[in-house]
Amino acid sequence: MIRLSVFYPVTEGATFDHDYYKDKHVPLAVKAWGLSGAEIDKGVDGPYVAAVHFTFDSLEAMGAAMASEGTGEVMADVANYTSITPVLQTSEVVA
Amino acid sequence: MIRLSVFYPVTEGATFDHDYYKDKHVPLAVKAWGLSGAEIDKGVDGPYVAAVHFTFDSLEAMGAAMASEGTGEVMADVANYTSITPVLQTSEVVA
């Protein structure tokens, strides 16, 4: 399984709307990419104010999702909840 | 639920033994902290070479685990698989 994690670094002067993220943005991404769900983190302590973790069956499945037509709408929606530039991490879930 | 994520940044000249991490270190931490398991990531693309995600029922439960006597052994074991200084993130799992 492949995990795509999106991290939002704590950034001086930046905003992050956790409610919009949970209620609107992540559901939009889940629908666009045909996923069953996602795990959302609200930062308590550490370098990130928020994160989300999506899982895909394979790198190919993730690539197909990213290339799908819904991705543009997902990306365009980022400006609706934050001014932070996200950091992406792709990993193989090994256990 | 609380997620404690430990990230290992890609570091020039550093080493990381993924097998030792999966087979020895993470099980040691899981046992020390009385958890049912953990999710291990092997980096494919992005800022981290590896990560692990532990979940706790509450911040208090996480604090109690960190303060338990097994934590010292867990920390001392890090040198056995990597020379990378890990980054810790504590988050509330919101969905």
PDB file of all heavy atoms in Angstrom, chain A residues 3-37:
ATOM      1  N   ARG A   3       1.118   5.332   0.899  1.00  0.00           N
ATOM      2  CA  ARG A   3       0.542   6.443   1.635  1.00  0.00           C
ATOM      3  C   ARG A   3       1.024   7.762   1.025  1.00  0.00           C
ATOM      4  O   ARG A   3       2.226   7.960   0.843  1.00  0.00           O
ATOM      5  CB  ARG A   3       0.957   6.385   3.107  1.00  0.00           C
ATOM      6  CG  ARG A   3       0.231   7.457   3.925  1.00  0.00           C
ATOM      7  CD  ARG A   3       0.629   7.572   5.408  1.00  0.00           C
ATOM      8  NE  ARG A   3       1.293   6.468   5.995  1.00  0.00           N
ATOM      9  CZ  ARG A   3       0.710   5.559   6.797  1.00  0.00           C
ATOM     10  NH1 ARG A   3      -0.558   5.642   7.092  1.00  0.00           N
ATOM     11  NH2 ARG A   3       1.421   4.574   7.305  1.00  0.00           N
ATOM     12  N   LEU A   4       0.068   8.607   0.709  1.00  0.00           N
ATOM     13  CA  LEU A   4       0.397   9.977   0.309  1.00  0.00           C
ATOM     14  C   LEU A   4       0.037  10.871   1.491  1.00  0.00           C
ATOM     15  O   LEU A   4      -1.136  10.989   1.856  1.00  0.00           O
ATOM     16  CB  LEU A   4      -0.404  10.387  -0.933  1.00  0.00           C
ATOM     17  CG  LEU A   4      -0.295  11.869  -1.326  1.00  0.00           C
ATOM     18  CD1 LEU A   4       1.134  12.235  -1.732  1.00  0.00           C
ATOM     19  CD2 LEU A   4      -1.262  12.196  -2.471  1.00  0.00           C
ATOM     20  N   SER A   5       1.049  11.461   2.095  1.00  0.00           N
ATOM     21  CA  SER A   5       0.834  12.370   3.223  1.00  0.00           C
ATOM     22  C   SER A   5       1.047  13.795   2.750  1.00  0.00           C
ATOM     23  O   SER A   5       1.994  14.072   2.000  1.00  0.00           O
ATOM     24  CB  SER A   5       1.803  12.061   4.363  1.00  0.00           C
ATOM     25  OG  SER A   5       1.600  10.757   4.870  1.00  0.00           O
ATOM     26  N   VAL A   6       0.162  14.678   3.174  1.00  0.00           N
ATOM     27  CA  VAL A   6       0.287  16.099   2.849  1.00  0.00           C
ATOM     28  C   VAL A   6       0.408  16.846   4.177  1.00  0.00           C
ATOM     29  O   VAL A   6      -0.475  16.746   5.035  1.00  0.00           O
ATOM     30  CB  VAL A   6      -0.929  16.610   2.054  1.00  0.00           C
ATOM     31  CG1 VAL A   6      -0.731  18.066   1.655  1.00  0.00           C
ATOM     32  CG2 VAL A   6      -1.188  15.742   0.830  1.00  0.00           C
ATOM     33  N   PHE A   7       1.529  17.538   4.344  1.00  0.00           N
ATOM     34  CA  PHE A   7       1.825  18.241   5.596  1.00  0.00           C
ATOM     35  C   PHE A   7       1.777  19.745   5.388  1.00  0.00           C
ATOM     36  O   PHE A   7       2.274  20.250   4.377  1.00  0.00           O
ATOM     37  CB  PHE A   7       3.234  17.884   6.081  1.00  0.00           C
ATOM     38  CG  PHE A   7       3.480  16.420   6.283  1.00  0.00           C
ATOM     39  CD1 PHE A   7       4.376  15.737   5.479  1.00  0.00           C
ATOM     40  CD2 PHE A   7       2.831  15.722   7.288  1.00  0.00           C
ATOM     41  CE1 PHE A   7       4.620  14.379   5.663  1.00  0.00           C
ATOM     42  CE2 PHE A   7       3.071  14.370   7.483  1.00  0.00           C
ATOM     43  CZ  PHE A   7       3.965  13.697   6.666  1.00  0.00           C
ATOM     44  N   TYR A   8       1.233  20.445   6.370  1.00  0.00           N
ATOM     45  CA  TYR A   8       1.167  21.901   6.330  1.00  0.00           C
ATOM     46  C   TYR A   8       2.072  22.445   7.427  1.00  0.00           C
ATOM     47  O   TYR A   8       1.711  22.400   8.612  1.00  0.00           O
ATOM     48  CB  TYR A   8      -0.282  22.368   6.519  1.00  0.00           C
ATOM     49  CG  TYR A   8      -1.161  21.927   5.372  1.00  0.00           C
ATOM     50  CD1 TYR A   8      -1.756  20.673   5.372  1.00  0.00           C
ATOM     51  CD2 TYR A   8      -1.334  22.743   4.261  1.00  0.00           C
ATOM     52  CE1 TYR A   8      -2.525  20.235   4.294  1.00  0.00           C
ATOM     53  CE2 TYR A   8      -2.103  22.323   3.182  1.00  0.00           C
ATOM     54  CZ  TYR A   8      -2.693  21.073   3.208  1.00  0.00           C
ATOM     55  OH  TYR A   8      -3.444  20.655   2.135  1.00  0.00           O
ATOM     56  N   PRO A   9       3.248  22.944   7.065  1.00  0.00           N
ATOM     57  CA  PRO A   9       4.207  23.420   8.072  1.00  0.00           C
ATOM     58  C   PRO A   9       3.675  24.649   8.819  1.00  0.00           C
ATOM     59  O   PRO A   9       3.052  25.531   8.219  1.00  0.00           O
ATOM     60  CB  PRO A   9       5.445  23.806   7.247  1.00  0.00           C
ATOM     61  CG  PRO A   9       5.274  23.153   5.922  1.00  0.00           C
ATOM     62  CD  PRO A   9       3.798  23.033   5.697  1.00  0.00           C
ATOM     63  N   VAL A  10       3.928  24.677  10.115  1.00  0.00           N
ATOM     64  CA  VAL A  10       3.638  25.865  10.910  1.00  0.00           C
ATOM     65  C   VAL A  10       4.374  27.026  10.254  1.00  0.00           C
ATOM     66  O   VAL A  10       5.578  26.940   9.997  1.00  0.00           O
ATOM     67  CB  VAL A  10       4.119  25.675  12.376  1.00  0.00           C
ATOM     68  CG1 VAL A  10       3.987  26.972  13.152  1.00  0.00           C
ATOM     69  CG2 VAL A  10       3.346  24.546  13.050  1.00  0.00           C
ATOM     70  N   THR A  11       3.630  28.080   9.933  1.00  0.00           N
ATOM     71  CA  THR A  11       4.179  29.198   9.164  1.00  0.00           C
ATOM     72  C   THR A  11       3.733  30.507   9.795  1.00  0.00           C
ATOM     73  O   THR A  11       2.535  30.723   9.984  1.00  0.00           O
ATOM     74  CB  THR A  11       3.678  29.121   7.695  1.00  0.00           C
ATOM     75  OG1 THR A  11       3.990  27.829   7.161  1.00  0.00           O
ATOM     76  CG2 THR A  11       4.290  30.211   6.840  1.00  0.00           C
ATOM     77  N   GLU A  12       4.690  31.316  10.143  1.00  0.00           N
ATOM     78  CA  GLU A  12       4.427  32.631  10.744  1.00  0.00           C
ATOM     79  C   GLU A  12       3.440  33.430   9.903  1.00  0.00           C
ATOM     80  O   GLU A  12       3.655  33.608   8.696  1.00  0.00           O
ATOM     81  CB  GLU A  12       5.758  33.388  10.857  1.00  0.00           C
ATOM     82  CG  GLU A  12       5.669  34.764  11.473  1.00  0.00           C
ATOM     83  CD  GLU A  12       5.782  34.723  12.998  1.00  0.00           C
ATOM     84  OE1 GLU A  12       6.469  33.822  13.524  1.00  0.00           O
ATOM     85  OE2 GLU A  12       5.164  35.590  13.654  1.00  0.00           O
ATOM     86  N   GLY A  13       2.360  33.886  10.507  1.00  0.00           N
ATOM     87  CA  GLY A  13       1.416  34.751   9.821  1.00  0.00           C
ATOM     88  C   GLY A  13       0.425  34.036   8.909  1.00  0.00           C
ATOM     89  O   GLY A  13      -0.443  34.675   8.320  1.00  0.00           O
ATOM     90  N   ALA A  14       0.545  32.717   8.794  1.00  0.00           N
ATOM     91  CA  ALA A  14      -0.345  31.971   7.895  1.00  0.00           C
ATOM     92  C   ALA A  14      -1.612  31.547   8.633  1.00  0.00           C
ATOM     93  O   ALA A  14      -1.647  31.479   9.862  1.00  0.00           O
ATOM     94  CB  ALA A  14       0.368  30.750   7.350  1.00  0.00           C
ATOM     95  N   THR A  15      -2.640  31.235   7.864  1.00  0.00           N
ATOM     96  CA  THR A  15      -3.902  30.773   8.448  1.00  0.00           C
ATOM     97  C   THR A  15      -4.202  29.366   7.952  1.00  0.00           C
ATOM     98  O   THR A  15      -3.700  28.937   6.899  1.00  0.00           O
ATOM     99  CB  THR A  15      -5.055  31.702   8.047  1.00  0.00           C
ATOM    100  OG1 THR A  15      -5.124  31.748   6.609  1.00  0.00           O
ATOM    101  CG2 THR A  15      -4.838  33.108   8.584  1.00  0.00           C
ATOM    102  N   PHE A  16      -5.036  28.659   8.727  1.00  0.00           N
ATOM    103  CA  PHE A  16      -5.468  27.321   8.327  1.00  0.00           C
ATOM    104  C   PHE A  16      -6.846  27.084   8.912  1.00  0.00           C
ATOM    105  O   PHE A  16      -7.011  27.107  10.136  1.00  0.00           O
ATOM    106  CB  PHE A  16      -4.476  26.246   8.816  1.00  0.00           C
ATOM    107  CG  PHE A  16      -4.716  24.912   8.163  1.00  0.00           C
ATOM    108  CD1 PHE A  16      -3.982  24.510   7.056  1.00  0.00           C
ATOM    109  CD2 PHE A  16      -5.712  24.062   8.638  1.00  0.00           C
ATOM    110  CE1 PHE A  16      -4.228  23.292   6.436  1.00  0.00           C
ATOM    111  CE2 PHE A  16      -5.960  22.847   8.023  1.00  0.00           C
ATOM    112  CZ  PHE A  16      -5.209  22.456   6.920  1.00  0.00           C
ATOM    113  N   ASP A  17      -7.832  26.856   8.057  1.00  0.00           N
ATOM    114  CA  ASP A  17      -9.212  26.636   8.497  1.00  0.00           C
ATOM    115  C   ASP A  17      -9.453  25.126   8.638  1.00  0.00           C
ATOM    116  O   ASP A  17      -9.769  24.441   7.660  1.00  0.00           O
ATOM    117  CB  ASP A  17     -10.156  27.253   7.459  1.00  0.00           C
ATOM    118  CG  ASP A  17     -11.618  27.172   7.867  1.00  0.00           C
ATOM    119  OD1 ASP A  17     -11.976  26.307   8.694  1.00  0.00           O
ATOM    120  OD2 ASP A  17     -12.413  27.969   7.344  1.00  0.00           O
ATOM    121  N   HIS A  18      -9.297  24.630   9.869  1.00  0.00           N
ATOM    122  CA  HIS A  18      -9.407  23.190  10.117  1.00  0.00           C
ATOM    123  C   HIS A  18     -10.808  22.658   9.795  1.00  0.00           C
ATOM    124  O   HIS A  18     -10.949  21.520   9.349  1.00  0.00           O
ATOM    125  CB  HIS A  18      -9.055  22.876  11.573  1.00  0.00           C
ATOM    126  CG  HIS A  18      -7.595  23.018  11.887  1.00  0.00           C
ATOM    127  ND1 HIS A  18      -6.654  22.053  11.594  1.00  0.00           N
ATOM    128  CD2 HIS A  18      -6.904  24.037  12.456  1.00  0.00           C
ATOM    129  CE1 HIS A  18      -5.453  22.453  11.980  1.00  0.00           C
ATOM    130  NE2 HIS A  18      -5.567  23.660  12.511  1.00  0.00           N
ATOM    131  N   ASP A  19     -11.841  23.446  10.062  1.00  0.00           N
ATOM    132  CA  ASP A  19     -13.209  22.987   9.786  1.00  0.00           C
ATOM    133  C   ASP A  19     -13.442  22.825   8.288  1.00  0.00           C
ATOM    134  O   ASP A  19     -13.994  21.813   7.842  1.00  0.00           O
ATOM    135  CB  ASP A  19     -14.235  23.953  10.391  1.00  0.00           C
ATOM    136  CG  ASP A  19     -14.258  23.870  11.911  1.00  0.00           C
ATOM    137  OD1 ASP A  19     -13.888  22.806  12.453  1.00  0.00           O
ATOM    138  OD2 ASP A  19     -14.618  24.870  12.546  1.00  0.00           O
ATOM    139  N   TYR A  20     -13.031  23.833   7.517  1.00  0.00           N
ATOM    140  CA  TYR A  20     -13.185  23.739   6.058  1.00  0.00           C
ATOM    141  C   TYR A  20     -12.396  22.552   5.534  1.00  0.00           C
ATOM    142  O   TYR A  20     -12.875  21.812   4.661  1.00  0.00           O
ATOM    143  CB  TYR A  20     -12.721  25.040   5.396  1.00  0.00           C
ATOM    144  CG  TYR A  20     -12.988  25.090   3.908  1.00  0.00           C
ATOM    145  CD1 TYR A  20     -14.125  25.725   3.403  1.00  0.00           C
ATOM    146  CD2 TYR A  20     -12.113  24.489   2.999  1.00  0.00           C
ATOM    147  CE1 TYR A  20     -14.388  25.762   2.035  1.00  0.00           C
ATOM    148  CE2 TYR A  20     -12.366  24.513   1.639  1.00  0.00           C
ATOM    149  CZ  TYR A  20     -13.500  25.148   1.158  1.00  0.00           C
ATOM    150  OH  TYR A  20     -13.753  25.179  -0.198  1.00  0.00           O
ATOM    151  N   TYR A  21     -11.216  22.376   6.081  1.00  0.00           N
ATOM    152  CA  TYR A  21     -10.347  21.281   5.627  1.00  0.00           C
ATOM    153  C   TYR A  21     -11.025  19.933   5.821  1.00  0.00           C
ATOM    154  O   TYR A  21     -11.062  19.100   4.910  1.00  0.00           O
ATOM    155  CB  TYR A  21      -9.040  21.347   6.416  1.00  0.00           C
ATOM    156  CG  TYR A  21      -7.943  20.464   5.863  1.00  0.00           C
ATOM    157  CD1 TYR A  21      -7.454  20.643   4.572  1.00  0.00           C
ATOM    158  CD2 TYR A  21      -7.369  19.459   6.639  1.00  0.00           C
ATOM    159  CE1 TYR A  21      -6.441  19.852   4.068  1.00  0.00           C
ATOM    160  CE2 TYR A  21      -6.352  18.664   6.140  1.00  0.00           C
ATOM    161  CZ  TYR A  21      -5.890  18.859   4.854  1.00  0.00           C
ATOM    162  OH  TYR A  21      -4.888  18.073   4.359  1.00  0.00           O
ATOM    163  N   LYS A  22     -11.577  19.728   7.005  1.00  0.00           N
ATOM    164  CA  LYS A  22     -12.215  18.450   7.354  1.00  0.00           C
ATOM    165  C   LYS A  22     -13.552  18.277   6.639  1.00  0.00           C
ATOM    166  O   LYS A  22     -13.870  17.183   6.167  1.00  0.00           O
ATOM    167  CB  LYS A  22     -12.412  18.408   8.879  1.00  0.00           C
ATOM    168  CG  LYS A  22     -13.262  17.261   9.388  1.00  0.00           C
ATOM    169  CD  LYS A  22     -13.192  17.151  10.904  1.00  0.00           C
ATOM    170  CE  LYS A  22     -13.766  18.353  11.640  1.00  0.00           C
ATOM    171  NZ  LYS A  22     -15.246  18.351  11.665  1.00  0.00           N
ATOM    172  N   ASP A  23     -14.337  19.339   6.580  1.00  0.00           N
ATOM    173  CA  ASP A  23     -15.715  19.219   6.079  1.00  0.00           C
ATOM    174  C   ASP A  23     -15.834  19.379   4.571  1.00  0.00           C
ATOM    175  O   ASP A  23     -16.803  18.898   3.978  1.00  0.00           O
ATOM    176  CB  ASP A  23     -16.618  20.260   6.763  1.00  0.00           C
ATOM    177  CG  ASP A  23     -16.716  20.030   8.264  1.00  0.00           C
ATOM    178  OD1 ASP A  23     -16.522  18.870   8.691  1.00  0.00           O
ATOM    179  OD2 ASP A  23     -16.959  21.005   8.997  1.00  0.00           O
ATOM    180  N   LYS A  24     -14.904  20.097   3.949  1.00  0.00           N
ATOM    181  CA  LYS A  24     -15.028  20.394   2.516  1.00  0.00           C
ATOM    182  C   LYS A  24     -13.857  19.861   1.691  1.00  0.00           C
ATOM    183  O   LYS A  24     -14.040  19.148   0.721  1.00  0.00           O
ATOM    184  CB  LYS A  24     -15.128  21.917   2.301  1.00  0.00           C
ATOM    185  CG  LYS A  24     -16.246  22.589   3.057  1.00  0.00           C
ATOM    186  CD  LYS A  24     -17.571  22.479   2.356  1.00  0.00           C
ATOM    187  CE  LYS A  24     -18.627  23.293   3.096  1.00  0.00           C
ATOM    188  NZ  LYS A  24     -19.928  23.223   2.423  1.00  0.00           N
ATOM    189  N   HIS A  25     -12.643  20.270   2.079  1.00  0.00           N
ATOM    190  CA  HIS A  25     -11.519  19.984   1.182  1.00  0.00           C
ATOM    191  C   HIS A  25     -11.166  18.496   1.107  1.00  0.00           C
ATOM    192  O   HIS A  25     -11.069  17.935   0.002  1.00  0.00           O
ATOM    193  CB  HIS A  25     -10.279  20.783   1.591  1.00  0.00           C
ATOM    194  CG  HIS A  25      -9.128  20.521   0.662  1.00  0.00           C
ATOM    195  ND1 HIS A  25      -9.067  21.045  -0.605  1.00  0.00           N
ATOM    196  CD2 HIS A  25      -8.026  19.731   0.802  1.00  0.00           C
ATOM    197  CE1 HIS A  25      -7.968  20.617  -1.205  1.00  0.00           C
ATOM    198  NE2 HIS A  25      -7.319  19.816  -0.369  1.00  0.00           N
ATOM    199  N   VAL A  26     -10.960  17.871   2.242  1.00  0.00           N
ATOM    200  CA  VAL A  26     -10.561  16.453   2.203  1.00  0.00           C
ATOM    201  C   VAL A  26     -11.664  15.593   1.580  1.00  0.00           C
ATOM    202  O   VAL A  26     -11.363  14.728   0.729  1.00  0.00           O
ATOM    203  CB  VAL A  26     -10.115  15.954   3.595  1.00  0.00           C
ATOM    204  CG1 VAL A  26      -9.856  14.446   3.565  1.00  0.00           C
ATOM    205  CG2 VAL A  26      -8.845  16.684   4.033  1.00  0.00           C
ATOM    206  N   PRO A  27     -12.952  15.827   1.892  1.00  0.00           N
ATOM    207  CA  PRO A  27     -14.004  15.075   1.186  1.00  0.00           C
ATOM    208  C   PRO A  27     -13.973  15.287  -0.336  1.00  0.00           C
ATOM    209  O   PRO A  27     -14.236  14.353  -1.090  1.00  0.00           O
ATOM    210  CB  PRO A  27     -15.299  15.636   1.798  1.00  0.00           C
ATOM    211  CG  PRO A  27     -14.899  16.058   3.174  1.00  0.00           C
ATOM    212  CD  PRO A  27     -13.506  16.596   3.018  1.00  0.00           C
ATOM    213  N   LEU A  28     -13.621  16.497  -0.758  1.00  0.00           N
ATOM    214  CA  LEU A  28     -13.505  16.788  -2.197  1.00  0.00           C
ATOM    215  C   LEU A  28     -12.402  15.932  -2.824  1.00  0.00           C
ATOM    216  O   LEU A  28     -12.577  15.344  -3.901  1.00  0.00           O
ATOM    217  CB  LEU A  28     -13.200  18.282  -2.383  1.00  0.00           C
ATOM    218  CG  LEU A  28     -13.018  18.803  -3.812  1.00  0.00           C
ATOM    219  CD1 LEU A  28     -14.352  18.769  -4.556  1.00  0.00           C
ATOM    220  CD2 LEU A  28     -12.469  20.233  -3.804  1.00  0.00           C
ATOM    221  N   ALA A  29     -11.273  15.849  -2.134  1.00  0.00           N
ATOM    222  CA  ALA A  29     -10.151  15.047  -2.632  1.00  0.00           C
ATOM    223  C   ALA A  29     -10.508  13.565  -2.640  1.00  0.00           C
ATOM    224  O   ALA A  29     -10.225  12.843  -3.610  1.00  0.00           O
ATOM    225  CB  ALA A  29      -8.909  15.300  -1.767  1.00  0.00           C
ATOM    226  N   VAL A  30     -11.148  13.106  -1.573  1.00  0.00           N
ATOM    227  CA  VAL A  30     -11.536  11.693  -1.454  1.00  0.00           C
ATOM    228  C   VAL A  30     -12.468  11.309  -2.603  1.00  0.00           C
ATOM    229  O   VAL A  30     -12.325  10.246  -3.218  1.00  0.00           O
ATOM    230  CB  VAL A  30     -12.203  11.438  -0.074  1.00  0.00           C
ATOM    231  CG1 VAL A  30     -12.983  10.121  -0.060  1.00  0.00           C
ATOM    232  CG2 VAL A  30     -11.132  11.447   1.030  1.00  0.00           C
ATOM    233  N   LYS A  31     -13.408  12.198  -2.914  1.00  0.00           N
ATOM    234  CA  LYS A  31     -14.360  11.935  -3.999  1.00  0.00           C
ATOM    235  C   LYS A  31     -13.659  11.973  -5.360  1.00  0.00           C
ATOM    236  O   LYS A  31     -13.869  11.098  -6.208  1.00  0.00           O
ATOM    237  CB  LYS A  31     -15.488  12.980  -3.951  1.00  0.00           C
ATOM    238  CG  LYS A  31     -16.636  12.694  -4.913  1.00  0.00           C
ATOM    239  CD  LYS A  31     -17.717  13.744  -4.805  1.00  0.00           C
ATOM    240  CE  LYS A  31     -18.744  13.568  -5.929  1.00  0.00           C
ATOM    241  NZ  LYS A  31     -19.536  14.795  -6.127  1.00  0.00           N
ATOM    242  N   ALA A  32     -12.806  12.986  -5.533  1.00  0.00           N
ATOM    243  CA  ALA A  32     -12.116  13.145  -6.826  1.00  0.00           C
ATOM    244  C   ALA A  32     -11.255  11.932  -7.149  1.00  0.00           C
ATOM    245  O   ALA A  32     -11.135  11.530  -8.311  1.00  0.00           O
ATOM    246  CB  ALA A  32     -11.246  14.405  -6.803  1.00  0.00           C
ATOM    247  N   TRP A  33     -10.664  11.348  -6.124  1.00  0.00           N
ATOM    248  CA  TRP A  33      -9.720  10.248  -6.336  1.00  0.00           C
ATOM    249  C   TRP A  33     -10.336   8.872  -6.087  1.00  0.00           C
ATOM    250  O   TRP A  33      -9.623   7.860  -6.121  1.00  0.00           O
ATOM    251  CB  TRP A  33      -8.469  10.480  -5.462  1.00  0.00           C
ATOM    252  CG  TRP A  33      -7.752  11.755  -5.842  1.00  0.00           C
ATOM    253  CD1 TRP A  33      -7.742  12.364  -7.070  1.00  0.00           C
ATOM    254  CD2 TRP A  33      -6.947  12.585  -4.986  1.00  0.00           C
ATOM    255  NE1 TRP A  33      -6.986  13.522  -7.022  1.00  0.00           N
ATOM    256  CE2 TRP A  33      -6.485  13.687  -5.768  1.00  0.00           C
ATOM    257  CE3 TRP A  33      -6.574  12.511  -3.638  1.00  0.00           C
ATOM    258  CZ2 TRP A  33      -5.673  14.690  -5.244  1.00  0.00           C
ATOM    259  CZ3 TRP A  33      -5.769  13.507  -3.111  1.00  0.00           C
ATOM    260  CH2 TRP A  33      -5.325  14.588  -3.923  1.00  0.00           C
ATOM    261  N   GLY A  34     -11.636   8.833  -5.798  1.00  0.00           N
ATOM    262  CA  GLY A  34     -12.330   7.548  -5.628  1.00  0.00           C
ATOM    263  C   GLY A  34     -11.862   6.732  -4.444  1.00  0.00           C
ATOM    264  O   GLY A  34     -11.815   5.502  -4.501  1.00  0.00           O
ATOM    265  N   LEU A  35     -11.529   7.427  -3.350  1.00  0.00           N
ATOM    266  CA  LEU A  35     -11.031   6.736  -2.157  1.00  0.00           C
ATOM    267  C   LEU A  35     -12.167   6.462  -1.175  1.00  0.00           C
ATOM    268  O   LEU A  35     -13.243   7.063  -1.267  1.00  0.00           O
ATOM    269  CB  LEU A  35      -9.953   7.591  -1.482  1.00  0.00           C
ATOM    270  CG  LEU A  35      -8.756   7.946  -2.378  1.00  0.00           C
ATOM    271  CD1 LEU A  35      -7.834   8.930  -1.668  1.00  0.00           C
ATOM    272  CD2 LEU A  35      -8.003   6.686  -2.764  1.00  0.00           C
ATOM    273  N   SER A  36     -11.897   5.570  -0.219  1.00  0.00           N
ATOM    274  CA  SER A  36     -12.929   5.275   0.779  1.00  0.00           C
ATOM    275  C   SER A  36     -12.833   6.242   1.961  1.00  0.00           C
ATOM    276  O   SER A  36     -13.765   6.357   2.747  1.00  0.00           O
ATOM    277  CB  SER A  36     -12.802   3.833   1.265  1.00  0.00           C
ATOM    278  OG  SER A  36     -11.507   3.597   1.757  1.00  0.00           O
ATOM    279  N   GLY A  37     -11.727   6.931   2.090  1.00  0.00           N
ATOM    280  CA  GLY A  37     -11.586   7.881   3.194  1.00  0.00           C
ATOM    281  C   GLY A  37     -10.170   8.382   3.299  1.00  0.00           C
ATOM    282  O   GLY A  37      -9.353   8.138   2.407  1.00  0.00           O
TER     283      GLY A  37
END
